[in-house]
Amino acid sequence: MGDYFKYFKVSDGTEVEYVDMGGTGKTFFYVPGYGAGADFPGMLFSVLKDKFRCISITHRGFAPFDGVHKGTPATGELGTAQAARDIKELIEYLGLDDIIMLGYSMGGHVVFSYIEQFGCAHLAKVMIGDMTPRLINDETWKHGLLQGHYTAEQYQIDLELMKTDYMKFNLYFLYQSVFPHTADEPRDFIFTEEMKKKIDEYAASYGVPGLTGDTVAYIPKEKWVAYREYWKSMGEADFRGMLKDIVVPTAIVYTVPGSVYEYGAGEYLCEHIPDAVAYPMEGCTHNTPHEAKLPEFARIICEFADK
């Protein structure tokens, strides 16, 4: 995707990185998740590029996985609200309209924030992929992170760990995103030899020589602050009240049985967004739609776009 990386300056002077595959079809705007750069949907774009003009963005403080492109600097405000404002400026910069916008994982929170701030301006359809409107669970809410068992106390533990040993958090969370697990498994950040073996095998499946779980999860220490700010913004958000404002056709794609998220969140979104349709992906964890189930994921996108 190297030839497709581009840069533009938003109103506060930050140079934002994005990918634009060009083309004359409908505009498909992929909003990436936590830590992902504009190259993250590259395999998905390779399937969709003949049907859509495929566009993605690198959020502030993040960078592509290739290590070659510079990404977007961690300047100004950091978090999902600012990410949504950057997307609005990119849309206007490119003169886009009638967009099909997909937010996957944290990207779903960015899309919620976009609509909360700007309504459905420039959007023809919306897709939310494997995300909950609220991460933290309590007595009144059981569809948040970690299959409905992520508490305010655990959230504070994570924020502290991100200051002192972000890699311990990140490697553990990567493992939980990739592999099936149950809500009652201990979340003790103890990475066993068996877990290490499995995550190394997962990294090797990318086909990049020498790639291990440690290298996939590695984040330079100078970036820990930015990543923590995004996690903080997600933990503070509660988008349940704005779901009624999503007044364009909406697809809710969620994984079954799921891993870090449970399918009840997807069902809740379908019930509370006025014109929403469910696309459950069976036999999937959080990462599977971009990997083993990529053809099915692409089919769902095309089917929804053609409705």
Side-chain angles (χ1 to χ4, degrees), residues 122-172:
H122 307 292
L123 304 181
K125 296 183 178 183
V126 165
M127 303 183 74
I128 303 296
D130 215 36
M131 190 55 177
T132 173
R134 186 186 184 200
L135 260 65
I136 295 174
N137 302 277
D138 56 24
E139 297 78 13
T140 65
W141 177 247
K142 301 298 181 184
H143 298 306
L145 195 65
L146 299 181
Q147 298 180 331
H149 286 70
Y150 191 61
T151 64
E153 180 182 11
Q154 290 175 313
Y155 169 64
Q156 291 301 325
I157 290 171
D158 284 350
L159 289 179
E160 287 302 312
L161 186 59
M162 288 176 172
K163 289 181 182 178
T164 59
D165 193 350
Y166 182 85
M167 295 313 302
K168 179 181 284 189
F169 165 84
N170 205 35
L171 191 61
Y172 204 85

Side-chain angles (χ1 to χ4, degrees), residues 197-213 215-216:
K197 179 181 177 182
K198 288 178 69 175
I199 204 70
D200 283 346
E201 289 172 351
Y202 166 77
S205 71
Y206 280 87
V208 179
L211 197 65
T212 67
T215 53
V216 169

Side-chain angles (χ1 to χ4, degrees), residues 10-174:
V10 294
S11 53
D12 72 353
T14 300
E15 191 171 55
V16 174
E17 180 180 78
Y18 69 100
V19 161
D20 184 355
M21 302 286 285
T24 57
K26 298 176 182 177
T27 299
F28 176 69
F29 197 124
Y30 183 99
V31 183
Y34 186 68
D39 64 334
F40 180 79
M43 292 300 295
L44 180 63
F45 282 4
S46 69
V47 178
L48 299 177
K49 65 182 181 180
D50 292 334
K51 183 179 178 68
F52 300 98
R53 177 182 178 181
C54 295
I55 296 173
S56 189
I57 193 168
T58 301
H59 304 307
R60 300 181 186 217
F62 296 162
F65 291 126
D66 62 11
V68 176
H69 298 90
K70 60 186 179 181
T72 302
T75 55
E77 182 179 335
L78 300 173
T80 54
Q82 181 60 53
R85 291 191 285 273
D86 290 341
I87 286 171
K88 178 67 155 48
E89 291 202 41
L90 176 57
I91 287 170
E92 293 176 347
Y93 172 76
L94 295 175
L96 305 177
D97 218 343
D98 296 325
I99 298 165
I100 300 167
M101 181 176 285
L102 165 62
Y104 198 88
S105 192
M106 187 194 82
H109 265 213
V110 176
V111 174
F112 290 149
S113 182
Y114 178 98
I115 295 171
E116 188 173 61
Q117 295 180 75
F118 309 113
C120 292
H122 307 292
L123 304 181
K125 296 183 178 183
V126 165
M127 303 183 74
I128 303 296
D130 215 36
M131 190 55 177
T132 173
R134 186 186 184 200
L135 260 65
I136 295 174
N137 302 277
D138 56 24
E139 297 78 13
T140 65
W141 177 247
K142 301 298 181 184
H143 298 306
L145 195 65
L146 299 181
Q147 298 180 331
H149 286 70
Y150 191 61
T151 64
E153 180 182 11
Q154 290 175 313
Y155 169 64
Q156 291 301 325
I157 290 171
D158 284 350
L159 289 179
E160 287 302 312
L161 186 59
M162 288 176 172
K163 289 181 182 178
T164 59
D165 193 350
Y166 182 85
M167 295 313 302
K168 179 181 284 189
F169 165 84
N170 205 35
L171 191 61
Y172 204 85
F173 191 75
L174 174 64

